[in-house]
């Protein structure tokens, strides 16, 4: 399966550095205010949390700072991401190199309180088996927190790379045209439909950046 890295033409180290550099903007005050109102009230006192495609594990670190009793697991297919996360200090993280498209999650059915997935599911060719695993491991009343790209017009997407990412023109053109079909795969309605089909109906959602939408979903009835 082509990963985000091979599609973008970046190395693992480039993507790792980009995730680290942009983390504070992507997971800023507005994100944590939404998390506090839409996710935290559903968590038990000692929640089991897993992050799929966890990258450098900074989201898990931040969850651990807010919920010190949480048991935190991160999975990523890229060894450099997991190695970075293992060097983080001040928090206990269980980080494992794991391809979510190739192996089941090493968790019992109904044993996880929060599954997070940020900017990852859009690269998966066939999302349904991955979502079925998410639904399998979630506890009744558990939360699936999905944050991912939503479709934008080409002109808006290219302007975002130029003005927000501050990519030099040659790089913006190279990466922009290459990544446009990857980052603009799903509309918000497509994501909601996918989640409902997978038996993970959306309970709440928000959009803090034009490029990404955040969905709070949870186990519900499977559509036949
Ligand atoms: C754009 S990064 C996002 C990282 C992190 N979630 C964040 O928001 O900072 C996407 C991550 O998904 C990982 N990834 C891609 N395909 C994967 C797969 N099949 N299984 C596990 N991780 C995967 C990549 O290695 C990369 O670290």
């Amino acid at each position: 399966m082509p990963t985000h890295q091979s599609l973008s033409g970046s190395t693992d180290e480039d993507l790792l550095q980009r995730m680290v550099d942009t983390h504070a903007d992507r997971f800023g005050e507005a994100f944590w205010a939404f998390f506090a109102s839409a996710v935290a009230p559903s968590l038990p006192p000692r929640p089991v949390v897993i992050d799929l495609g966890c990258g450098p594990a900074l989201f898990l670190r931040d969850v651990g700072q807010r919920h010190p009793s949480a048991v935190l697991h991160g999975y990523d297919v890229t060894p450099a991401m997991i190695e970075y996360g293992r060097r983080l200090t001040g928090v206990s993280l269980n980080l494992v190199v794991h391809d979510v498209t190739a192996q089941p999650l090493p968790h019992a059915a109904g044993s996880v309180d929060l599954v997070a997935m940020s900017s990852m599911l859009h690269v998966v060719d066939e999302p349904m088996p991955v979502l079925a695993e998410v639904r399998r491991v979630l506890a009744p009343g558990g939360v699936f927190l999905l944050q991912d790209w939503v479709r934008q017009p080409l002109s808006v997407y290219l302007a975002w790379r130029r003005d927000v990412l501050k990519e030099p023109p040659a790089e913006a053109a190279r990466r922009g045209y290459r990544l446009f079909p990857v980052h603009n795969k799903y509309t918000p309605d497509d994501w909601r439909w996918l989640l409902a089909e997978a038996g993970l109906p959306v309970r709440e959602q928000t959009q803090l950046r034009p490029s990404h939408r955040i969905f709070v979903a949870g186990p519900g009835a499977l559509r036949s």
Side-chain angles (χ1 to χ4, degrees):
M1 185 207 69
T3 64
H4 183 282
Q5 293 97 305
S6 57
L7 289 164
S8 68
S10 303
T11 64
D12 291 349
E13 285 67 30
D14 289 341
L15 183 63
L16 168 60
Q17 197 54 51
R18 193 176 283 249
M19 292 301 104
V20 172
D21 291 345
T22 58
H23 176 76
D25 290 334
R26 294 182 296 119
F27 295 92
E29 267 180 38
F31 174 85
W32 289 109
F34 179 72
F35 187 93
S37 72
V39 177
S42 301
L43 300 181
R46 197 164 183 269
V48 175
V49 177
I50 69 179
D51 189 5
L52 305 181
C54 64
L58 297 172
F59 167 75
L60 281 174
R61 176 204 62 187
D62 295 353
V63 172
Q65 286 166 353
R66 287 165 176 81
H67 297 265
S69 307
V71 182
L72 305 165
H73 302 270
Y75 301 102
D76 201 288
V77 74
T78 305
M81 299 287 184
I82 295 299
E83 281 157 26
Y84 183 97
R86 286 183 178 152
R87 290 197 297 272
L88 295 174
T89 55
V91 66
S92 173
L93 303 175
N94 308 300
L95 301 176
V96 176
V97 175
H98 178 98
D99 180 347
V100 300
T101 65
Q103 299 157 279
L105 293 170
H107 294 270
S111 66
V112 176
D113 302 295
L114 171 61
V115 178
M117 211 189 267
S118 170
S119 299
M120 193 282 233
L121 195 55
H122 69 277
V123 300
V124 169
D125 289 337
E126 292 178 42
M128 282 310 185
V130 176
L131 291 173
E133 263 304 275
V134 170
R135 188 171 184 277
R136 181 186 69 79
V137 300
L138 271 177
V143 177
F144 179 40
L145 179 64
L146 173 71
Q147 171 161 217
D148 217 316
W149 288 88
V150 286
R151 197 175 298 167
Q152 303 180 89
L154 176 63
S155 57
V156 174
Y157 178 75
L158 293 178
W160 172 80
R161 299 202 72 92
R162 187 190 62 221
D163 301 336
V164 180
L165 291 187
K166 308 259 184 256
E167 285 178 342
E171 194 191 347
R174 183 180 62 81
R175 292 174 58 85
Y177 285 105
R178 197 166 175 166
L179 283 171
F180 180 71
V182 181
H183 288 158
N184 291 274
K185 192 168 173 183
Y186 296 120
T187 65
D189 278 346
D190 293 335
W191 283 122
R192 272 192 300 276
W193 181 87
L194 261 181
L195 290 168
E197 283 290 300
L200 293 163
V202 171
R203 300 174 188 160
E204 236 176 294
Q205 57 181 300
T206 190
Q207 193 156 343
L208 306 176
R209 297 177 288 154
S211 53
H212 286 69
R213 187 165 292 215
I214 301 174
F215 299 96
V216 177
L222 267 177
R223 286 186 183 171
S224 53

